[in-house]
Amino acid sequence: MTEASVSSNPPETLTGTVLAIQANYYSVQIDGVMGERVMGDGGVESHPDRLLPLCTRRSRLKKIGQQVMVGDRVQVEEPDWESGRAAIFQVEERRSQLDRPPVANADQILLVFALAKPALDISQLSRFLIKAESTGIEVCLCLSKSDLIPTPHREAWCDRLRAWGYDPVLISSYTGLGIEALAERLSQRMTIVSGPSGVGKSSLINMLVPAAKLRTSAVSGRLERGRHTTRHVELFELSKGGLLADTPGFNQPDMDATPIELMNYFPEIRSRRAKRSCQFSDCLHLQEPGCRVRGDWERYEIYTKFLEEAIALQSNLSQQSAPDEALKKKSNRDGEVTYEPRLKTKYRAESRRSQQQSIQVMKGKVGDWLEDNEDN
Ligand SMILES: Nc1nc2c(ncn2[C@@H]2O[C@H](COP(=O)(O)OP(=O)(O)O)[C@@H](O)[C@H]2O)c(=O)[nH]1
Ligand SMILES: [Mg+2]
Ligand SMILES: [Zn+2]
Protein backbone atom coordinates (compact mmCIF):
# COMPACT_ATOMS: atom_id res chain seq x y z
CA MET A 1 0.00 0.00 0.00
CA THR A 2 1.38 3.46 -0.87
CA GLU A 3 1.56 6.26 1.63
CA ALA A 4 -0.92 8.27 -0.36
CA SER A 5 -3.65 5.65 -0.10
CA VAL A 6 -3.04 5.36 3.62
CA SER A 7 -3.39 9.05 4.21
CA SER A 8 -6.48 9.45 2.00
CA ASN A 9 -7.90 6.76 4.28
CA PRO A 10 -11.15 5.60 2.62
CA PRO A 11 -13.86 5.15 5.23
CA GLU A 12 -13.54 1.68 6.70
CA THR A 13 -16.55 -0.48 5.90
CA LEU A 14 -17.13 -3.89 7.40
CA THR A 15 -19.74 -6.60 6.93
CA GLY A 16 -21.37 -8.50 9.75
CA THR A 17 -24.50 -10.03 11.24
CA VAL A 18 -26.89 -8.44 13.73
CA LEU A 19 -26.93 -10.72 16.78
CA ALA A 20 -29.19 -8.73 19.07
CA ILE A 21 -31.13 -5.51 19.35
CA GLN A 22 -31.46 -3.62 22.60
CA ALA A 23 -33.06 -0.23 22.91
CA ASN A 24 -31.84 1.50 19.76
CA TYR A 25 -28.54 -0.32 19.62
CA TYR A 26 -27.68 -3.14 17.29
CA SER A 27 -25.08 -5.65 18.29
CA VAL A 28 -23.17 -6.55 15.13
CA GLN A 29 -20.71 -9.38 14.82
CA ILE A 30 -18.15 -8.60 12.16
CA ASP A 31 -17.28 -11.41 9.72
CA GLY A 32 -14.10 -13.32 10.35
CA VAL A 33 -12.83 -16.13 12.53
CA MET A 34 -12.66 -15.83 16.29
CA GLY A 35 -9.69 -13.67 17.25
CA GLU A 36 -9.43 -12.12 13.82
CA ARG A 37 -11.46 -9.69 11.89
CA VAL A 38 -11.44 -8.66 8.28
CA MET A 39 -10.56 -5.02 7.68
CA GLY A 40 -12.10 -2.79 5.05
CA ASP A 41 -9.08 -3.21 2.80
CA GLY A 42 -9.39 -7.02 2.96
CA GLY A 43 -6.54 -7.34 5.44
CA VAL A 44 -6.92 -9.29 8.66
CA GLU A 45 -6.38 -7.76 12.06
CA SER A 46 -6.26 -9.82 15.18
CA HIS A 47 -8.77 -8.85 17.81
CA PRO A 48 -10.10 -10.68 20.86
CA ASP A 49 -13.67 -10.41 19.68
CA ARG A 50 -15.50 -9.20 16.63
CA LEU A 51 -18.49 -7.70 18.32
CA LEU A 52 -19.61 -4.09 17.98
CA PRO A 53 -22.47 -3.99 20.50
CA LEU A 54 -23.46 -0.35 20.13
CA CYS A 55 -24.17 0.11 16.44
CA THR A 56 -26.75 2.62 15.32
CA ARG A 57 -28.78 2.87 12.16
CA ARG A 58 -27.90 5.64 9.72
CA SER A 59 -30.71 8.17 9.38
CA ARG A 60 -30.82 7.47 5.64
CA LEU A 61 -32.05 3.95 6.50
CA LYS A 62 -34.64 5.37 8.87
CA LYS A 63 -35.86 7.73 6.15
CA ILE A 64 -36.38 4.95 3.64
CA GLY A 65 -38.07 2.86 6.36
CA GLN A 66 -35.39 0.18 6.23
CA GLN A 67 -35.73 -1.86 9.41
CA VAL A 68 -32.84 -3.78 10.88
CA MET A 69 -33.65 -7.22 12.29
CA VAL A 70 -31.72 -9.77 14.27
CA GLY A 71 -30.06 -11.99 11.68
CA ASP A 72 -29.68 -9.22 9.14
CA ARG A 73 -26.47 -9.05 7.16
CA VAL A 74 -25.33 -5.45 7.38
CA GLN A 75 -22.52 -3.16 6.35
CA VAL A 76 -21.16 -0.79 8.96
CA GLU A 77 -18.85 2.16 8.75
CA GLU A 78 -16.77 4.21 11.14
CA PRO A 79 -16.19 1.34 13.57
CA ASP A 80 -14.71 2.34 16.90
CA TRP A 81 -13.51 -0.81 18.59
CA GLU A 82 -12.77 0.94 21.85
CA SER A 83 -16.36 2.00 22.47
CA GLY A 84 -17.93 -0.79 20.38
CA ARG A 85 -19.71 1.69 18.14
CA ALA A 86 -20.31 1.80 14.41
CA ALA A 87 -23.00 2.94 12.00
CA ILE A 88 -25.11 0.57 9.94
CA PHE A 89 -25.48 2.09 6.50
CA GLN A 90 -26.63 -0.89 4.45
CA VAL A 91 -28.88 -3.92 5.01
CA GLU A 92 -28.42 -6.78 2.57
CA GLU A 93 -31.39 -8.49 0.99
CA ARG A 94 -32.91 -11.15 3.28
CA ARG A 95 -32.94 -14.81 2.32
CA SER A 96 -35.78 -15.51 4.72
CA GLN A 97 -37.78 -13.67 7.33
CA LEU A 98 -39.60 -14.97 10.37
CA ASP A 99 -42.08 -12.77 12.15
CA ARG A 100 -42.35 -14.68 15.41
CA PRO A 101 -39.65 -14.45 16.55
CA PRO A 102 -38.50 -11.60 14.32
CA VAL A 103 -35.39 -13.02 12.67
CA ALA A 104 -33.91 -12.61 9.22
CA ASN A 105 -31.93 -15.16 7.21
CA ALA A 106 -32.63 -18.24 9.32
CA ASP A 107 -31.58 -21.44 7.50
CA GLN A 108 -33.49 -23.91 9.61
CA ILE A 109 -35.88 -24.35 12.48
CA LEU A 110 -34.80 -26.83 15.11
CA LEU A 111 -38.00 -28.16 16.57
CA VAL A 112 -37.34 -29.72 19.97
CA PHE A 113 -39.76 -32.18 21.56
CA ALA A 114 -39.14 -34.39 24.58
CA LEU A 115 -39.48 -38.17 24.32
CA ALA A 116 -40.63 -38.21 27.94
CA LYS A 117 -41.46 -35.72 30.70
CA PRO A 118 -43.69 -34.58 29.13
CA ALA A 119 -44.63 -37.63 27.06
CA LEU A 120 -44.51 -37.04 23.33
CA ASP A 121 -47.95 -36.15 22.02
CA ILE A 122 -48.01 -36.63 18.25
CA SER A 123 -50.95 -34.31 17.74
CA GLN A 124 -49.17 -31.47 19.53
CA LEU A 125 -45.94 -32.33 17.72
CA SER A 126 -47.84 -32.18 14.43
CA ARG A 127 -49.18 -28.72 15.26
CA PHE A 128 -45.66 -27.47 15.80
CA LEU A 129 -44.47 -29.18 12.64
CA ILE A 130 -47.24 -27.55 10.62
CA LYS A 131 -46.33 -24.16 12.06
CA ALA A 132 -42.65 -24.71 11.32
CA GLU A 133 -43.36 -25.98 7.80
CA SER A 134 -45.53 -22.93 7.13
CA THR A 135 -42.48 -20.66 7.36
CA GLY A 136 -40.96 -22.30 4.30
CA ILE A 137 -37.73 -22.69 6.25
CA GLU A 138 -36.16 -26.14 6.52
CA VAL A 139 -37.25 -28.08 9.61
CA CYS A 140 -34.92 -30.24 11.69
CA LEU A 141 -36.64 -32.36 14.31
CA CYS A 142 -34.83 -32.96 17.58
CA LEU A 143 -36.12 -35.39 20.22
CA SER A 144 -34.76 -34.57 23.66
CA LYS A 145 -34.47 -36.36 27.02
CA SER A 146 -33.72 -39.66 25.30
CA ASP A 147 -31.96 -40.75 28.50
CA LEU A 148 -35.44 -41.27 29.93
CA ILE A 149 -36.47 -44.06 27.54
CA PRO A 150 -34.85 -47.42 26.70
CA THR A 151 -32.83 -47.81 23.48
CA PRO A 152 -35.38 -49.96 21.58
CA HIS A 153 -37.99 -47.26 22.17
CA ARG A 154 -35.64 -44.64 20.78
CA GLU A 155 -35.16 -46.64 17.62
CA ALA A 156 -38.89 -47.16 17.29
CA TRP A 157 -39.44 -43.38 17.48
CA CYS A 158 -36.79 -42.79 14.82
CA ASP A 159 -38.47 -45.28 12.46
CA ARG A 160 -41.86 -43.79 13.14
CA LEU A 161 -40.78 -40.23 12.39
CA ARG A 162 -38.85 -41.27 9.29
CA ALA A 163 -42.13 -42.66 7.98
CA TRP A 164 -43.59 -39.18 8.47
CA GLY A 165 -40.78 -37.78 6.35
CA TYR A 166 -38.47 -36.42 9.04
CA ASP A 167 -35.01 -37.52 10.04
CA PRO A 168 -34.94 -36.83 13.77
CA VAL A 169 -31.85 -36.33 15.91
CA LEU A 170 -32.21 -37.92 19.32
CA ILE A 171 -30.35 -36.16 22.08
CA SER A 172 -29.87 -35.98 25.81
CA SER A 173 -28.44 -32.92 27.45
CA TYR A 174 -27.85 -35.04 30.55
CA THR A 175 -25.74 -37.79 28.96
CA GLY A 176 -24.52 -35.89 25.91
CA LEU A 177 -26.05 -38.48 23.60
CA GLY A 178 -26.56 -37.17 20.08
CA ILE A 179 -25.08 -33.75 20.83
CA GLU A 180 -22.21 -34.27 18.36
CA ALA A 181 -24.59 -35.35 15.60
CA LEU A 182 -26.77 -32.35 16.32
CA ALA A 183 -23.78 -29.98 16.30
CA GLU A 184 -23.00 -31.26 12.79
CA ARG A 185 -26.45 -30.29 11.59
CA LEU A 186 -26.13 -26.83 13.13
CA SER A 187 -22.65 -26.06 11.88
CA GLN A 188 -22.30 -23.05 9.55
CA ARG A 189 -26.00 -22.34 9.54
CA MET A 190 -28.40 -20.03 11.33
CA THR A 191 -30.84 -22.08 13.37
CA ILE A 192 -33.89 -21.01 15.32
CA VAL A 193 -34.75 -23.29 18.22
CA SER A 194 -38.44 -23.81 18.80
CA GLY A 195 -40.71 -26.11 20.77
CA PRO A 196 -42.97 -26.22 23.81
CA SER A 197 -41.67 -25.13 27.19
CA GLY A 198 -40.10 -27.73 29.44
CA VAL A 199 -38.66 -29.93 26.69
CA GLY A 200 -35.08 -28.93 27.42
CA LYS A 201 -34.37 -26.20 24.88
CA SER A 202 -32.44 -23.99 27.28
CA SER A 203 -30.48 -26.96 28.63
CA LEU A 204 -29.53 -27.86 25.07
CA ILE A 205 -28.52 -24.34 24.13
CA ASN A 206 -26.43 -24.05 27.29
CA MET A 207 -24.63 -27.17 26.21
CA LEU A 208 -23.99 -25.97 22.68
CA VAL A 209 -23.22 -22.37 23.61
CA PRO A 210 -21.81 -22.14 27.12
CA ALA A 211 -21.62 -18.36 26.69
CA ALA A 212 -25.38 -18.18 26.34
CA LYS A 213 -25.89 -19.04 30.03
CA LEU A 214 -29.62 -19.34 29.66
CA ARG A 215 -31.26 -20.29 32.88
CA THR A 216 -33.14 -23.55 32.76
CA SER A 217 -36.56 -23.59 34.30
CA ALA A 218 -35.29 -25.77 37.12
CA VAL A 219 -32.88 -23.04 38.10
CA SER A 220 -34.94 -19.96 37.47
CA GLY A 221 -37.10 -18.98 40.38
CA ARG A 222 -40.59 -17.66 39.97
CA LEU A 223 -39.35 -14.08 40.15
CA GLU A 224 -36.71 -14.62 37.53
CA ARG A 225 -38.93 -16.38 35.07
CA GLY A 226 -40.45 -13.25 33.61
CA ARG A 227 -37.06 -11.76 33.11
CA HIS A 228 -35.58 -14.78 31.45
CA THR A 229 -38.36 -15.85 29.13
CA THR A 230 -36.86 -15.01 25.81
CA ARG A 231 -39.05 -12.19 24.63
CA HIS A 232 -36.29 -10.69 22.57
CA VAL A 233 -34.32 -12.83 20.16
CA GLU A 234 -30.60 -13.15 20.39
CA LEU A 235 -28.23 -15.13 18.21
CA PHE A 236 -25.37 -17.04 19.77
CA GLU A 237 -22.27 -18.19 17.96
CA LEU A 238 -21.56 -21.93 17.84
CA SER A 239 -18.03 -23.23 18.28
CA LYS A 240 -18.07 -24.93 14.88
CA GLY A 241 -19.44 -21.80 13.23
CA GLY A 242 -23.07 -21.02 12.77
CA LEU A 243 -25.60 -19.16 14.86
CA LEU A 244 -28.33 -20.31 17.19
CA ALA A 245 -31.34 -18.51 18.67
CA ASP A 246 -33.74 -19.59 21.37
CA THR A 247 -37.41 -18.71 21.13
CA PRO A 248 -39.92 -18.46 23.94
CA GLY A 249 -41.56 -21.80 24.53
CA PHE A 250 -45.25 -21.81 23.80
CA ASN A 251 -47.47 -24.82 24.10
CA GLN A 252 -50.05 -24.52 21.40
CA PRO A 253 -49.29 -22.74 18.16
CA ASP A 254 -52.43 -21.39 16.56
CA MET A 255 -53.59 -23.10 13.42
CA ASP A 256 -53.81 -20.48 10.71
CA ALA A 257 -53.08 -22.47 7.57
CA THR A 258 -55.66 -22.48 4.81
CA PRO A 259 -56.91 -25.93 3.75
CA ILE A 260 -54.80 -25.81 0.59
CA GLU A 261 -51.69 -24.73 2.45
CA LEU A 262 -52.19 -27.38 5.07
CA MET A 263 -51.68 -30.25 2.63
CA ASN A 264 -48.28 -28.95 1.67
CA TYR A 265 -47.18 -28.95 5.28
CA PHE A 266 -47.38 -32.75 5.51
CA PRO A 267 -44.30 -34.42 3.98
CA GLU A 268 -46.39 -37.59 3.67
CA ILE A 269 -48.76 -35.76 1.30
CA ARG A 270 -45.98 -34.01 -0.59
CA SER A 271 -44.17 -37.25 -1.32
CA ARG A 272 -47.32 -39.15 -2.29
CA ARG A 273 -48.43 -36.40 -4.62
CA ALA A 274 -44.98 -36.18 -6.16
CA LYS A 275 -45.16 -39.88 -7.06
CA ARG A 276 -48.64 -39.88 -8.55
CA SER A 277 -51.16 -37.07 -8.73
CA CYS A 278 -54.73 -37.52 -7.62
CA GLN A 279 -57.48 -37.67 -10.23
CA PHE A 280 -58.73 -34.21 -9.21
CA SER A 281 -56.22 -31.39 -8.96
CA ASP A 282 -58.16 -29.87 -6.04
CA CYS A 283 -58.36 -33.20 -4.21
CA LEU A 284 -58.49 -32.80 -0.43
CA HIS A 285 -57.63 -36.48 -0.02
CA LEU A 286 -60.84 -37.28 1.80
CA GLN A 287 -63.33 -39.42 -0.09
CA GLU A 288 -62.61 -38.28 -3.63
CA PRO A 289 -62.32 -40.99 -6.26
CA GLY A 290 -58.87 -41.50 -7.71
CA CYS A 291 -57.10 -40.12 -4.63
CA ARG A 292 -53.47 -41.27 -4.36
CA VAL A 293 -52.81 -39.66 -0.98
CA ARG A 294 -55.52 -41.12 1.25
CA GLY A 295 -54.25 -44.23 2.92
CA ASP A 296 -53.09 -45.92 6.03
CA TRP A 297 -50.22 -43.62 6.88
CA GLU A 298 -49.98 -42.82 10.57
CA ARG A 299 -50.90 -39.14 10.54
CA TYR A 300 -53.75 -39.38 8.06
CA GLU A 301 -56.32 -38.91 10.82
CA ILE A 302 -54.39 -35.96 12.21
CA TYR A 303 -54.49 -34.48 8.73
CA THR A 304 -58.27 -34.80 8.44
CA LYS A 305 -58.71 -33.33 11.92
CA PHE A 306 -56.48 -30.33 11.13
CA LEU A 307 -58.20 -29.92 7.78
CA GLU A 308 -61.52 -29.66 9.56
CA GLU A 309 -60.07 -26.93 11.79
CA ALA A 310 -58.58 -25.09 8.85
CA ILE A 311 -61.93 -25.16 7.06
CA ALA A 312 -63.80 -23.95 10.14
CA LEU A 313 -61.30 -21.14 10.60
CA GLN A 314 -61.52 -20.16 6.97
CA SER A 315 -65.28 -19.93 6.95
CA ASN A 316 -65.25 -17.96 10.24
CA LEU A 317 -62.74 -15.55 8.80
CA SER A 318 -64.60 -14.98 5.58
CA GLN A 319 -67.83 -14.35 7.52
CA GLN A 320 -66.12 -11.92 9.89
CA SER A 321 -64.00 -10.02 7.44
CA ALA A 322 -66.58 -9.68 4.70
CA PRO A 323 -70.17 -10.00 5.87
CA ASP A 324 -71.16 -8.26 2.63
CA GLU A 325 -69.61 -10.94 0.55
CA ALA A 326 -72.88 -12.81 0.66
CA LEU A 327 -74.28 -9.88 -1.29
CA LYS A 328 -73.62 -9.24 -4.92
CA LYS A 329 -73.14 -5.67 -6.14
CA LYS A 330 -75.39 -4.70 -9.06
CA SER A 331 -75.76 -1.44 -10.91
CA ASN A 332 -78.94 -0.65 -12.84
CA ARG A 333 -79.20 1.56 -15.94
CA ASP A 334 -79.55 4.72 -13.87
CA GLY A 335 -76.27 3.96 -12.20
CA GLU A 336 -78.01 3.03 -8.93
CA VAL A 337 -76.16 0.44 -6.97
CA THR A 338 -78.14 -2.38 -5.40
CA TYR A 339 -77.14 -5.53 -3.61
CA GLU A 340 -78.70 -8.92 -3.96
CA PRO A 341 -77.83 -12.20 -2.29
CA ARG A 342 -75.22 -14.29 -4.02
CA LEU A 343 -76.40 -17.70 -5.06
CA LYS A 344 -74.65 -20.11 -2.82
CA THR A 345 -75.09 -23.71 -1.96
CA LYS A 346 -76.65 -24.02 1.47
CA TYR A 347 -75.70 -26.76 3.79
CA ARG A 348 -78.19 -28.41 6.03
CA ALA A 349 -77.21 -28.72 9.65
CA GLU A 350 -76.80 -32.43 10.05
CA SER A 351 -78.54 -33.77 13.11
CA ARG A 352 -76.70 -37.05 13.10
CA ARG A 353 -73.37 -36.72 11.44
CA SER A 354 -71.68 -39.86 10.33
CA GLN A 355 -68.04 -39.35 9.47
CA GLN A 356 -68.91 -39.69 5.84
CA GLN A 357 -71.47 -36.91 6.04
CA SER A 358 -69.28 -34.47 7.90
CA ILE A 359 -66.55 -35.02 5.37
CA GLN A 360 -69.00 -34.17 2.61
CA VAL A 361 -69.89 -30.97 4.45
CA MET A 362 -66.24 -30.14 4.86
CA LYS A 363 -65.64 -30.63 1.20
CA GLY A 364 -68.56 -28.43 0.34
CA LYS A 365 -67.24 -25.63 2.51
CA VAL A 366 -63.84 -25.85 0.94
CA GLY A 367 -65.43 -25.74 -2.48
CA ASP A 368 -67.21 -22.55 -1.44
CA TRP A 369 -64.09 -21.11 -0.03
CA LEU A 370 -62.18 -21.84 -3.20
CA GLU A 371 -64.86 -20.15 -5.30
CA ASP A 372 -64.87 -17.11 -3.03
CA ASN A 373 -61.15 -16.82 -3.42
CA GLU A 374 -61.26 -17.16 -7.17
CA ASP A 375 -63.59 -14.15 -7.23
CA ASN A 376 -60.96 -11.96 -5.60
N1 LIG B 1 -33.92 -36.30 31.83
C1 LIG B 1 -33.60 -35.18 31.19
N2 LIG B 1 -34.09 -33.99 31.62
C2 LIG B 1 -33.75 -32.87 30.96
C3 LIG B 1 -32.91 -32.91 29.82
N3 LIG B 1 -32.78 -31.65 29.36
C4 LIG B 1 -33.48 -30.85 30.20
N4 LIG B 1 -34.06 -31.57 31.18
C5 LIG B 1 -34.91 -31.05 32.27
O1 LIG B 1 -36.13 -30.58 31.73
C6 LIG B 1 -36.57 -29.41 32.42
C7 LIG B 1 -36.81 -28.28 31.43
O2 LIG B 1 -35.58 -27.90 30.85
P1 LIG B 1 -35.36 -26.51 30.10
O3 LIG B 1 -34.03 -26.57 29.45
O4 LIG B 1 -35.61 -25.37 31.01
O5 LIG B 1 -36.52 -26.56 29.02
P2 LIG B 1 -37.11 -25.40 28.08
O6 LIG B 1 -38.31 -24.87 28.76
O7 LIG B 1 -37.46 -26.10 26.82
O8 LIG B 1 -36.05 -24.38 27.88
C8 LIG B 1 -35.48 -29.09 33.44
O9 LIG B 1 -35.90 -29.62 34.67
C9 LIG B 1 -34.27 -29.84 32.93
O10 LIG B 1 -33.39 -30.20 33.97
C10 LIG B 1 -32.42 -34.19 29.38
O11 LIG B 1 -31.68 -34.35 28.40
N5 LIG B 1 -32.79 -35.28 30.11
MG1 LIG C 1 -36.15 -22.24 28.07
ZN1 LIG D 1 -56.15 -37.00 -3.13
Side-chain angles (χ1 to χ4, degrees):
M1 201 182 270
T2 65
E3 255 189 59
S5 71
V6 170
S7 56
S8 69
N9 207 12
E12 190 186 5
T13 69
L14 300 166
T15 306
T17 306
V18 178
L19 298 191
I21 302 176
Q22 215 154 35
N24 286 320
Y25 291 111
Y26 303 90
S27 181
V28 179
Q29 185 181 54
I30 302 304
D31 292 352
V33 286
M34 199 65 99
E36 289 178 342
R37 58 189 169 85
V38 183
M39 306 304 289
D41 60 7
V44 173
E45 188 192 74
S46 72
H47 200 273
D49 72 61
R50 298 171 285 125
L51 203 65
L52 290 166
L54 296 173
C55 294
T56 52
R57 183 170 54 135
R58 277 269 180 266
S59 52
R60 188 185 63 84
L61 293 182
K62 288 180 201 158
K63 268 183 214 137
I64 62 170
Q66 173 68 64
Q67 298 294 321
V68 178
M69 296 173 79
V70 168
D72 263 330
R73 297 281 299 150
V74 294
Q75 288 177 39
V76 302
E77 58 189 356
E78 295 168 21
D80 175 0
W81 291 96
E82 285 297 302
S83 64
R85 290 169 191 274
I88 297 173
F89 70 95
Q90 188 77 273
V91 181
E92 292 177 11
E93 204 181 320
R94 294 173 184 140
R95 283 179 291 128
S96 68
Q97 182 177 332
L98 278 176
D99 294 326
R100 271 181 50 198
V103 182
N105 300 321
D107 296 301
Q108 65 181 346
I109 293 176
L110 183 76
L111 181 56
V112 185
F113 257 75
L115 285 165
K117 285 188 182 176
L120 208 161
D121 168 349
I122 64 165
S123 178
Q124 191 199 27
L125 170 58
S126 294
R127 278 182 202 281
F128 273 83
L129 282 169
I130 297 299
K131 197 77 192 173
E133 293 267 358
S134 75
T135 63
I137 295 169
E138 203 180 308
V139 182
C140 177
L141 185 54
C142 173
L143 301 178
S144 61
K145 307 195 187 182
S146 50
D147 54 285
L148 294 177
I149 67 165
T151 311
H153 291 199
R154 290 179 208 156
E155 280 157 14
W157 271 113
C158 278
D159 291 344
R160 202 167 162 185
L161 292 163
R162 280 194 198 112
W164 295 11
Y166 296 97
D167 184 17
V169 200
L170 269 63
I171 61 139
S172 166
S173 300
Y174 280 14
T175 67
L177 181 114
I179 298 295
E180 270 302 303
L182 180 62
E184 281 302 315
R185 293 218 205 171
L186 303 181
S187 134
Q188 308 299 334
R189 316 186 72 190
M190 189 199 294
T191 306
I192 310 300
V193 180
S194 167
S197 44
V199 296
K201 295 183 302 300
S202 298
S203 309
L204 171 65
I205 294 174
N206 284 342
M207 208 167 180
L208 295 166
V209 196
K213 289 199 190 73
L214 301 176
R215 293 187 201 93
T216 58
S217 49
V219 176
S220 69
R222 196 175 295 172
L223 287 171
E224 303 234 36
R225 197 169 295 154
R227 209 175 68 187
H228 168 60
T229 43
T230 339
R231 220 156 296 260
H232 70 286
V233 213
E234 188 169 356
L235 290 168
F236 295 102
E237 192 170 33
L238 296 163
S239 54
K240 287 185 177 174
L243 296 163
L244 196 67
D246 195 6
T247 58
F250 51 98
N251 287 309
Q252 176 111 324
D254 45 329
M255 164 74 69
D256 51 12
T258 67
I260 300 301
E261 286 167 348
L262 184 68
M263 306 184 206
N264 293 316
Y265 303 156
F266 281 83
E268 299 97 317
I269 298 183
R270 291 198 298 259
S271 64
R272 280 170 175 79
R273 288 213 313 197
K275 270 185 218 140
R276 268 179 94 188
S277 45
C278 300
Q279 186 177 329
F280 299 108
S281 60
D282 60 352
C283 187
L284 290 172
H285 323 302
L286 296 171
Q287 299 297 320
E288 298 92 333
C291 177
R292 315 285 177 214
V293 166
R294 182 178 61 235
D296 61 354
W297 41 281
E298 185 184 6
R299 294 201 299 164
Y300 180 70
E301 264 182 44
I302 290 180
Y303 164 67
T304 57
K305 186 170 163 277
F306 287 1
L307 182 62
E308 207 161 351
E309 284 177 32
I311 289 165
L313 177 80
Q314 206 64 52
S315 44
N316 276 347
L317 282 181
S318 54
Q319 272 166 27
Q320 275 172 22
S321 65
D324 295 349
E325 232 166 53
L327 300 174
K328 201 173 183 174
K329 198 175 176 180
K330 275 194 120 185
S331 313
N332 64 16
R333 275 196 215 116
D334 306 327
E336 250 175 74
V337 177
T338 55
Y339 293 88
E340 63 181 43
R342 274 181 198 274
L343 290 176
K344 252 189 187 175
T345 327
K346 289 277 186 297
Y347 298 100
R348 283 180 295 119
E350 313 272 348
S351 51
R352 199 170 48 88
R353 279 190 184 177
S354 68
Q355 200 191 357
Q356 183 72 26
Q357 279 170 325
S358 62
I359 279 169
Q360 287 307 321
V361 173
M362 274 165 62
K363 281 188 57 185
K365 283 186 188 158
V366 170
D368 239 10
W369 173 82
L370 282 173
E371 276 168 28
D372 287 347
N373 280 275
E374 273 163 16
D375 289 351
N376 299 341

